[in-house]
Amino acid sequence: MGAPIEILKKYWGHDVFRHPQEEIISSVLNGNDTLALLPTGGGKSVCFQIPTLVNDGICIVISPLIALMNDQVKNLNKKNIKAIALTSKLTPDEVIIAFDNLQFGNYKFLYLSPEKLQSELIQQKIKQLNVQLIAIDEAHCISEWGHDFRPSYLNISILREFFPQTPMIALTASATEKVAKDIVENLSLDTPKIFKKSFLRENLAYQIFEVEDKLFKVEQVLKKVKGSKIIYTNSRRSTVEISAQLNHLGYKTNFYHGGMK
């Protein structure tokens, strides 16, 4: 379809890549297994979308959340790039139609969850596709040391059995050295090229205080820092209690937690 920079200009409207997108794309196009550790907002999806558009064939994208898949599919379709997400909302007949489109309709991307990959029907249909690249998004989910461990991610390596010669790219914005090692081992990545961009954000600062009276320290911070504030707590109950305490002290606060509609 063209060189990576031409595709970037045509579909994304940018003249240059962010570092190290171009190097990651080159690694993938050279057939290397690749691990990309990039901060949130670092343009991870471009690192597998552009190589897919350079060559013939389909990219299988494993993603943990339906919302993430639908968002990427929507953005690709807006660019007139054919992509589809296999979610639980599809009926068996719609799944069959989707695979017919993938095989014969010039589709470029198949998004699905690791749980969906466990279906024998989907596995048999995937084997019939011309798969040129396998992308594992939120790859830290494969590690028991990761903060979002999902056991279903451990079964993704079955794609390596189906397509032993197809390069694989794993992407994450959060991986310690131990988690990165787990990603490589559990996905059976073959001597992968590893790219890591600094997670340093110059507009953020961190301070840690060891205090006995947390509410008193919070009040000190509220007096010092102007504008809106967000306070995270370690339980739902704490959100309610701390909000009530601060309101009693004269601050205007409200609370939210996962048990609320």
Side-chain angles (χ1 to χ4, degrees), residues 205-261:
Y206 298 87
Q207 288 180 285
I208 298 173
F209 303 98
E210 293 185 12
V211 297
E212 292 184 9
D213 189 340
K214 291 184 179 181
L215 184 63
F216 178 73
K217 186 62 186 179
V218 167
E219 190 178 8
Q220 283 185 314
V221 173
L222 295 180
K223 289 177 178 178
K224 182 178 180 181
V225 180
K226 304 302 179 184
S228 299
K229 273 78 67 171
I230 300 175
I231 300 172
Y232 289 91
T233 72
N234 61 1
S235 71
R236 297 179 180 183
R237 181 178 175 181
S238 293
T239 64
V240 180
E241 292 177 348
I242 292 175
S243 177
Q245 290 169 336
L246 291 174
N247 285 335
H248 181 71
L249 292 171
Y251 295 95
K252 296 171 66 176
T253 79
N254 209 333
F255 64 89
Y256 172 81
H257 57 67
M260 300 170 62
K261 293 183 180 180

Side-chain angles (χ1 to χ4, degrees), residues 126-137:
I126 281 176
K127 289 179 184 178
Q128 300 171 19
L129 300 178
N130 175 23
V131 178
Q132 59 140 308
L133 179 61
I134 299 165
I136 314 301
D137 205 6

Side-chain angles (χ1 to χ4, degrees), residues 92 95-96 99 118-126 128:
V95 170
I96 299 297
F99 274 103
Q118 309 314 305
S119 162
E120 288 189 17
L121 170 63
I122 287 177
Q123 289 180 11
Q124 292 304 314
K125 289 293 184 180
I126 281 176
Q128 300 171 19

Side-chain angles (χ1 to χ4, degrees), residues 53-234:
L53 295 174
V54 170
N55 294 323
D56 294 331
I58 285 172
C59 175
I60 293 177
V61 185
I62 304 296
S63 182
L65 297 173
I66 291 176
L68 288 175
M69 290 190 279
N70 287 339
D71 186 56
Q72 289 203 19
V73 168
K74 181 180 178 181
N75 288 332
L76 287 168
N77 288 337
K78 281 182 178 179
K79 295 177 171 65
N80 293 318
I81 299 170
K82 292 186 176 182
I84 193 167
L86 293 186
T87 69
S88 55
K89 294 182 180 180
L90 297 183
T91 66
D93 286 342
E94 288 173 330
V95 170
I96 299 297
I97 293 171
F99 274 103
D100 285 343
N101 287 333
L102 286 162
Q103 195 167 2
F104 306 111
N106 295 320
Y107 274 69
K108 295 298 293 180
F109 296 92
L110 165 61
Y111 284 78
L112 71 160
S113 69
E115 289 81 12
K116 204 72 173 171
L117 183 60
Q118 309 314 305
S119 162
E120 288 189 17
L121 170 63
I122 287 177
Q123 289 180 11
Q124 292 304 314
K125 289 293 184 180
I126 281 176
K127 289 179 184 178
Q128 300 171 19
L129 300 178
N130 175 23
V131 178
Q132 59 140 308
L133 179 61
I134 299 165
I136 314 301
D137 205 6
E138 308 295 338
H140 59 273
C141 293
I142 204 170
S143 172
E144 292 186 38
W145 299 100
H147 60 84
D148 282 328
F149 174 58
R150 284 173 65 156
S152 55
Y153 260 70
L154 294 171
N155 299 319
I156 294 174
S157 58
I158 194 172
L159 291 173
R160 178 110 288 176
E161 298 175 26
F162 296 163
F163 308 102
Q165 304 303 317
T166 300
M168 185 177 285
I169 178 171
L171 309 106
T172 178
S174 54
T176 63
E177 196 169 315
K178 186 174 285 188
V179 171
K181 183 180 179 183
D182 274 358
I183 292 171
V184 172
E185 291 180 354
N186 293 334
L187 288 176
S188 301
L189 299 184
D190 183 16
T191 56
K193 301 290 185 181
I194 299 177
F195 298 86
K196 183 174 182 179
K197 185 175 181 179
S198 173
F199 290 81
L200 176 66
R201 300 293 182 106
E202 294 182 356
N203 60 324
L204 297 180
Y206 298 87
Q207 288 180 285
I208 298 173
F209 303 98
E210 293 185 12
V211 297
E212 292 184 9
D213 189 340
K214 291 184 179 181
L215 184 63
F216 178 73
K217 186 62 186 179
V218 167
E219 190 178 8
Q220 283 185 314
V221 173
L222 295 180
K223 289 177 178 178
K224 182 178 180 181
V225 180
K226 304 302 179 184
S228 299
K229 273 78 67 171
I230 300 175
I231 300 172
Y232 289 91
T233 72
N234 61 1

